Amino acid sequence: MKKELFVFALSALCGLSAEATINIAGVEKQVDTLECRTVGPGVQYVRMHMPEYPLDVYTMTIDLNNPYNDVDAFIGKNHAGSTEAMTSAYTRLSTPEHQSIGSINGNFWIVSGQNMDDRLLGQPHSGCIVNGEIATEPNGWNRAGRGDEIEKLQDDMNFEAKVINAANEKSFDIAEVNRIRNENEIVLYNHFTGQTTSDIDGTDVLIKPIEGASWGLNKDVECVVTRIVQSKGGTELEEGEYALSGNGTGAEFLNQMNVGDKVKINTKLTTRTDNLIPIAEQMLTGNALVMREGKLTPRNENEAYNSQTYSRSGIGMSQDGKTLYLIVIDYKSSTSVGTNTATMCYILKQAGAWNVANMDAGGSAQMMLRGKLVNNPADGKERPVSNGFMIFTNAPEDNTFMAGAFHGVGEADTVINVGVSGPGVVRAALAKDGAGKDITEIADMVKKTAFKITRMGQLVAREASKRLCVPFGIVDLSLAPTPAVGDSVAYILEEMGLEVCGCHGTTAALALLNDAVKKGGVMASSHVGGLSGAFIPVSEDAGMIHAATEGYLDITKLE
């Protein structure tokens, strides 16, 4: 993996000096950047403190164009109606090929005391889409946090759905997804609940997509009827099944179907602003779009939940749709008193956000990084949530050869690597004691010299690691030449007995030198890396430049 593969714009917040200011409603407020680091390819984490409030602020900035990361919605325990700690979701969802970097909480969700049926407890109040499938439909709370893999839209959403009987092309509206079926309705159920739910008689038609069909939004999904059950609800879905559950006029429509019949399901999302049709793969919803096109919306003031001082969690998007911004602000702590959504918007605007949605707050406002919460929740402990966004990377792990490159999330954020340049040291050793030695003895001398300088590099690295409290990475042992006088591989080969670099035996001598250096380095340390002796840049090696100029070294030797 090469460093140039990971070129990304750093968050404007990370560009702030240790003590800078952010413009909040025309007033410059001091901000101290306490931590700023790259936590994945195209993913920047920043922790700030604003002492004048005071506020503790945590942000993640995600480059959505980076091919090595994904932003996926997750739902608690993969069930619409369950809550789950984000640290638990991290363990459940992270794999070696699809590693979680971090997450933020998502939708407001149904809790006791809201005059809702207990069977809905834990469900998101509004829309949630996971991998192209609706867990719960957008409704009166339909402010989408993020919804489109193509344009990365963030907007208010309209939702329409219907079932079409392919035999007669008659259709019936689908009222909801995975909610409780009521009178004269048809409700769609899928694996996010695993069963139908109702208190009144009706008809459950179980369906599966036909071979080759895939589930998705804003298109007709062709299905075949597999079972029909007369039920009050509670029909269990089998693997791969979906259910259409109807009562009254809805049941009358479904009763016209038979096992084996074909039906079409169409679930449609459109943006309220421009009537655009997004290809929504992942979606969360908050209670309000609090910043649109760089300007604060009236929802910051006309809703008490948004205007009060409280913890905050928000999701923002850049104007070009290429950057996602996540933010959490603490509440009820000695260092953070909380704030309103307007202040949250100004902070995200400084980072580069163009649109911002307000997400669930209170004790739910949480940010997780690599399996641990980074903020201090208002509950004083982690609170399970209904859903959220999880940031993943599919970047391959690397060996730690290239100091300073991104090496995958399994490597430390900061590490001590020591580079050891070997040509001058090896040549000096041969010049001192190599005279009269045969090729076997010379190889042994080279191995011992490589062993010594690698051990010295390891000693320096371990001491620096201890003093700086930073993990020790590798000792990079290399034969690559440097501008230092005498630091030439060609001169080593001549000390080994060649009359001049380029004459007969040059290739054999170089192979012996590479082999001896690698063996000596590997014996010296289990943390050795590099070993790039096979790469000898002729144009950077003074001795080889001289040999080429004199005609001893030509293109035939560049095997």
Side-chain angles (χ1 to χ4, degrees):
M1 188 186 305
K2 300 300 182 184
K3 188 175 183 179
E4 56 266 27
L5 293 178
F6 300 102
V7 178
F8 37 78
L10 299 183
S11 162
L13 293 175
C14 198
L16 295 173
S17 61
E19 291 187 4
T21 60
I22 291 179
N23 189 301
I24 306 293
V27 179
E28 296 297 323
K29 296 289 187 178
Q30 182 181 337
V31 55
D32 301 332
T33 302
L34 305 178
E35 189 175 359
C36 175
R37 55 193 172 105
T38 299
V39 294
V43 183
Q44 197 79 18
Y45 166 71
V46 177
R47 179 170 62 92
M48 303 177 294
H49 182 67
M50 301 180 71
E52 294 169 79
Y53 288 92
L55 293 178
D56 289 328
V57 182
Y58 313 81
T59 68
M60 271 197 282
T61 305
I62 300 100
D63 177 5
L64 296 175
N65 277 3
N66 192 293
Y68 289 105
N69 66 41
D70 295 313
V71 180
D72 295 343
F74 72 91
I75 192 162
K77 300 177 183 176
N78 208 36
H79 180 265
S82 295
T83 58
E84 183 178 21
M86 291 196 297
T87 54
S88 172
Y90 166 87
T91 301
R92 175 171 62 86
L93 297 172
S94 189
T95 67
E97 298 77 23
H98 197 58
Q99 298 183 59
S100 172
I101 297 173
S103 65
I104 192 172
N105 67 289
N107 294 35
F108 294 77
W109 42 284
I110 299 169
V111 298
S112 58
Q114 294 179 337
N115 296 320
M116 305 285 282
D117 193 297
D118 285 349
R119 288 170 293 181
L120 296 176
L121 294 179
Q123 283 200 2
H125 267 290
S126 186
C128 176
I129 298 174
V130 180
N131 298 327
E133 287 199 54
I134 296 177
T136 51
E137 82 291 342
N139 47 49
W141 294 56
N142 53 353
R143 276 79 190 175
R146 171 186 174 249
D148 188 0
E149 65 176 358
I150 296 177
E151 296 180 354
K152 319 302 191 298
L153 291 171
Q154 184 178 36
D155 204 341
D156 293 351
M157 295 287 176
N158 293 316
F159 172 76
E160 300 175 25
K162 60 183 177 179
V163 52
I164 305 165
N165 188 330
N168 55 26
E169 291 300 316
K170 292 183 178 179
S171 65
F172 197 97
D173 289 344
I174 294 173
E176 296 173 305
V177 179
N178 291 324
R179 310 291 194 182
I180 297 173
R181 187 248 296 154
N182 296 307
E183 293 181 356
N184 298 314
E185 285 186 344
I186 288 180
V187 174
L188 176 67
Y189 297 90
N190 57 28
H191 66 93
F192 287 115
T193 53
Q195 65 176 20
T196 62
T197 308
S198 184
D199 291 323
I200 52 179
D201 291 334
T203 299
D204 292 344
V205 172
L206 288 302
I207 59 175
K208 284 186 177 181
I210 64 172
E211 185 174 355
S214 60
W215 206 267
L217 299 171
N218 299 312
K219 66 176 185 178
D220 288 339
V221 180
E222 294 190 64
C223 301
V224 62
V225 177
T226 58
R227 293 187 290 147
I228 298 176
V229 180
Q230 302 300 320
S231 171
K232 283 188 175 182
T235 302
E236 298 284 342
L237 275 62
E238 296 178 359
E239 181 71 25
E241 280 189 330
Y242 297 76
L244 296 163
S245 184
N247 167 266
T249 54
E252 292 173 6
F253 178 85
L254 295 177
N255 285 334
Q256 300 175 40
M257 300 177 184
N258 298 295
V259 173
D261 285 355
K262 301 289 180 63
V263 299
K264 299 175 185 176
I265 306 297
N266 186 288
T267 50
K268 184 178 180 181
L269 284 180
T270 56
T271 63
R272 288 186 176 180
T273 305
D274 302 308
N275 202 36
L276 298 176
I277 301 176
I279 304 175
E281 288 291 324
Q282 317 290 338
M283 190 179 79
L284 303 178
T285 55
N287 78 321
L289 195 61
V290 286
M291 188 167 78
R292 185 196 297 275
E293 297 180 355
K295 297 180 180 179
L296 273 64
T297 70
R299 296 298 299 275
N300 290 281
E301 302 297 334
N302 65 12
E303 188 166 331
Y305 190 89
N306 298 337
S307 61
Q308 67 178 310
T309 297
Y310 207 36
S311 59
R312 293 295 162 195
S313 181
I315 298 174
M317 189 73 68
S318 62
Q319 184 174 3
D320 61 9
K322 295 179 180 179
T323 307
L324 185 71
Y325 303 92
L326 310 180
I327 186 171
V328 167
I329 301 175
D330 281 345
Y331 171 62
K332 281 187 177 179
S333 78
S334 59
T335 58
S336 190
V337 299
T339 189
N340 54 31
T341 57
T343 298
M344 177 182 73
C345 289
Y346 284 117
I347 296 172
L348 283 182
K349 186 175 182 178
Q350 173 81 30
W354 185 242
N355 295 321
V356 177
N358 181 53
M359 311 308 288
D360 194 10
S364 296
Q366 298 164 109
M367 182 176 287
M368 185 272 295
L369 196 63
R370 296 185 183 175
K372 296 181 179 179
L373 292 187
V374 294
N375 73 303
N376 298 299
D379 288 349
K381 60 182 180 180
E382 184 173 10
R383 174 190 288 186
V385 295
S386 178
N387 61 4
F389 270 155
M390 187 83 72
I391 299 92
F392 295 92
T393 180
N394 58 6
E397 290 293 336
D398 199 1
N399 63 43
T400 51
F401 166 58
M402 183 181 292
F406 172 76
H407 298 296
V409 296
E411 300 295 337
D413 296 319
T414 308
V415 68
I416 296 289
N417 294 323
V418 172
V420 178
S421 180
V425 179
V426 173
R427 182 192 177 216
L430 292 176
K432 179 182 178 182
D433 299 315
K437 298 287 196 306
D438 62 30
I439 199 71
T440 302
E441 292 172 316
I442 287 176
D444 191 55
M445 287 183 61
V446 172
K447 282 189 284 187
K448 289 179 178 177
T449 303
F451 180 92
K452 291 177 181 178
I453 60 177
T454 303
R455 274 294 175 88
M456 178 57 70
Q458 178 176 272
L459 177 64
V460 171
R462 289 195 181 281
E463 184 61 25
S465 172
K466 179 181 177 181
R467 295 188 183 189
L468 297 174
C469 297
V470 173
F472 166 40
I474 55 101
V475 178
D476 180 4
L477 177 61
S478 173
L479 277 179
T482 74
V485 176
D487 212 1
S488 162
V489 174
Y491 294 155
I492 297 177
L493 300 180
E494 292 169 5
E495 288 290 349
M496 292 172 66
L498 295 182
E499 181 177 355
V500 64
C501 182
C503 70
H504 294 298
T506 297
T507 302
L510 181 58
L512 182 148
L513 176 63
N514 283 335
D515 181 71
V517 167
K518 291 179 180 180
K519 287 179 178 177
V522 170
M523 287 189 293
S525 173
S526 60
H527 291 262
V528 69
L531 300 175
S532 56
F535 174 65
I536 310 297
V538 174
S539 62
E540 299 176 13
D541 187 298
M544 291 193 181
I545 292 172
H546 174 74
T549 302
E550 296 297 320
Y552 299 116
L553 184 64
D554 58 31
I555 194 70
T556 62
K557 279 296 176 187
L558 300 180
E559 290 102 346

